[in-house]
Amino acid sequence: MTRSRLARALVRWLVPRSRRRRIELALAALLSPILCLGLAAALTPLPPELASNDLAAADPSTVFLDRHGTVLCEVRAKDGTRARPVRIADIDPRVTRAVLAAEDKRFYLHPGVDPLAIARAAGQTLLARGIVSGGSTLTQQLARTLVPRPRTVVGKLREMALALRIEASLSKPRILEEYLNRVAFGPSLRGVEAASRFYFDKSTRDLSLAEAAALASLPRGPTLYDPRRGTDLLKRRRDRVLERMRAARLAEHEDVDRALGEPLILAPRGSGLGIPHLRQALLAGGKGIGPDALAGRATTITTTLDRGLQREIEILAVQTVERLAPRHVTAASVVVLDNETGDVLAYVGSPDIENEARLGHNDGVLARRQPGSTLKPFVYGLGMEIAGFSAATILPDVDLHFPTPDGDYHPNNYDGRFHGPVRVREALASSFNVPAVVAASRVGPERLLARLRDLGFASLDRSARDYGLALALGDGEVRLIELAAAYATLARGGLSVTPRAVREARAATGEPLPLPAPPPRRVLDRRAAYVLTHILADRHARLATFGENSVLELPFPVAAKTGTSKGFRDNVTVGFTPSVTVAVWVGNFDGSPMSGVSGVTGAGPLFHDAMLAAARLYPQRDFERPEGLVDVDICPLSGARPGPDCPHRRSELLPRETSLATCDMHERIRIDRRNGLRAGPACSDVSVDERVFERYPPELAAWAENAGRPVAPRASSPFCPESDRTAAPSRIRIAFPPDGARFVRDGALAAEEAIRVRVDAPSNTHAVRLLVDGRAVVLTPPFERSIPLVPGEHTLVVEADGVSSEPVRFSVQ
């Protein structure tokens, strides 16, 4: 007889038939639920969230850090929680042991459901006539987190079936890892790593035993034990968990004793505005400030920002808008760059992203706005490279007209005046418009546009013909970040470095994402870049426009430029030290004009304060002067070497190879003191004074006379005429309109339209004859006359003392 048959025979012999039936029914009743639960587990599908071991699939939140690792803000996951997935291997073992002691000390012994825990919970409930403790295992908690259930018996059974299914499909370490990443460890905190960062500002790998036990206490009641509401309840719960760890030998006695005596100290929360505009730009793909879109790819983004500077600039922007509110200013934007690396140190897109009335959701750092005069340095820089300009080059600041495909272009200066012959240094430092347009006409709009694009102004996406010469005055929309990058190029001596706002970006797995960056490029000549910097930092050169003690003056070397767009819609100030560049925009996002706000009163004060704040991050130093530049004495009127009659001299910074002519704009003339006219040889020395006068070329003669400049008289004294002087002018020409000009009449104003013809003649010319289509008109200084616009082709010629100019032909449509 076999052993099994013997056993059954023994049972039949020992147990009466009536009792045997009851035992069989009891066993069936006991085993049936287990068998049914096992069948249900086999039929229950594994939640799709557990199908992959990819941490990124856990829908993490995205944390933004400053350059020093301080949290700036956190973009929550799609479910509205903070979530920081972490591998179990990267969690300190004390954390996992504390969780097991708090929630499921027999985790490694049960198959997903713990009968002993269920029996204990049931017994405690019966004795206390209320729920004292739960019987759910760690796996069951994971199951109801993934698949929420109703709080019913059926719901509990489904939870148990899913727990068994999970245990049958995943390893114990994997289940523990999923639990630690998916279960709530506080209000809107998903996972232990997110809680660790939020409450203690450190990774789980760096927690103390007391901190680990505190975190392990939270899943029992994420809201009840939330330490932000008070730490007393959590501390008592933490101490119980520590005692459980001691009892279960999951921690040494001495370590538990130290942990029980450790106070529960939470990390302070940041109070910044949370870089909302930069955050959006980086997640969506920053335009000129970072890599491709990081949304869905990065969970930890270490920015290049300095949190302290960022907060200070945010406050300054708010204060600026409040100060300028009576002048209809509702927005301000600031960006600060580290010159050496191109790192964005501070970034304020608008003072308040939540202010819908002021359109605060707009990002002024990336918005396209007209930069005004801030493009002028690059016009002159190109002229230095291809047109022979230097800081001493003389350009005309007079009433000029430039023909364009769309008609006449007539620039004016901000102050409504013309300043005659001005050196490039004066023209740039004082921000005169006409000389900048003259410089643009000499280098050409096509080459100017190409240079600006090479500097990084990708926003200038129209044709050179569309922009025309007005591009020199900022008649094109650019981004503030592009402007800052271009000025940082000047600070680096002509090397272009692409701005970056991200130092490091890591995926949910912890792997760093590639952040490709183009290498530095030389865009500007090093010496030209320094000369432009020298001009922009020259407080004496800009006195005529900005006066003494302007906002552009700081207690350390700063090169700066202001700009105001047409109609006072945009106000910009941008400048740099050797270490840092600051760009500021002030205006209104709806494009409405400000009221009487200039660079000095609008963006200038904010620039001044922002530069003071940024400069504190770096030691002060001077701009580094490159080899090949020398200081040369010049005549400030002509920009040439001083002649014997030049009354003033000024030192100018020029390339060593520059060849300067001697000044010819000062002349010593014998004057008959009896009448103030030129004295001929026949005048006795007793009646003659020798005086120094200014001499101007024909294109500047009319301005000099109108401005009351000390020019020599044209006529000779009748007592002693200059018989050897020729009355014939050395050069005479039509200054405006230019040859080939085309004018288009406005039908509504046809009867009133005219053009102002201007003639250039030497200073000794008394009168000229202007021939308009053969009809003569006599002109006297300043040799100007308005003629009506008549449809057709027309020819102009000017004559003086038998000498005729080249004909000028123009058309009217």
Side-chain angles (χ1 to χ4, degrees), residues 114-127:
D114 188 352
L116 295 179
I118 294 174
R120 183 202 70 236
Q124 290 175 340
T125 299
L126 289 174
L127 291 174

Side-chain angles (χ1 to χ4, degrees), residues 588-602:
N588 300 293
F589 285 125
D590 63 3
S592 58
M594 299 171 284
S595 177
V597 176
S598 66
V600 175
T601 60

Side-chain angles (χ1 to χ4, degrees), residues 699-766:
E699 60 269 21
L700 296 173
W703 171 85
E705 185 164 341
N706 290 335
R709 300 301 300 175
V711 296
R714 294 187 178 91
S716 296
S717 172
F719 303 112
C720 44
E722 289 184 306
S723 57
D724 58 337
R725 291 185 76 244
T726 175
S730 58
R731 181 178 177 227
I732 189 169
R733 71 184 184 98
I734 305 260
F736 185 83
D739 189 39
R742 179 176 62 90
F743 299 95
V744 180
R745 298 191 308 166
D746 185 336
L749 302 173
E752 304 174 16
E753 288 188 287
I755 61 170
R756 189 79 173 168
V757 176
R758 193 176 75 251
V759 173
D760 284 342
S763 59
N764 62 341
T765 304
H766 301 287

Side-chain angles (χ1 to χ4, degrees), residues 173-185:
R174 170 76 187 285
I175 294 171
L176 184 56
E177 181 178 276
E178 294 289 346
Y179 175 91
L180 293 172
N181 280 308
R182 296 186 182 277
V183 170
F185 278 78

Side-chain angles (χ1 to χ4, degrees), residues 745 750 753 773 775 787-794 810-813:
R745 298 191 308 166
E753 288 188 287
D773 296 331
R775 295 186 301 276
I787 62 173
L789 286 179
V790 178
E793 301 289 332
H794 304 279
F810 68 94
S811 62
V812 179
Q813 298 178 355

Side-chain angles (χ1 to χ4, degrees), residues 490-556:
L490 284 177
R492 286 186 291 268
L495 280 179
S496 176
V497 174
T498 302
R500 67 167 187 168
V502 179
R503 273 191 165 186
E504 182 184 70
R506 291 185 176 272
T509 60
E511 293 296 318
L513 299 177
L515 300 173
R521 297 179 297 111
R522 177 154 297 282
V523 179
L524 303 175
D525 175 78
R526 181 175 175 82
R527 293 187 300 177
Y530 180 80
V531 171
L532 293 172
T533 299
H534 194 266
I535 294 172
L536 294 174
D538 187 348
R539 59 179 298 271
H540 299 287
R542 59 173 174 253
L543 281 177
T545 297
F546 297 95
E548 292 276 3
N549 302 317
S550 75
V551 294
L552 301 185
E553 295 182 26
L554 288 107
F556 43 81

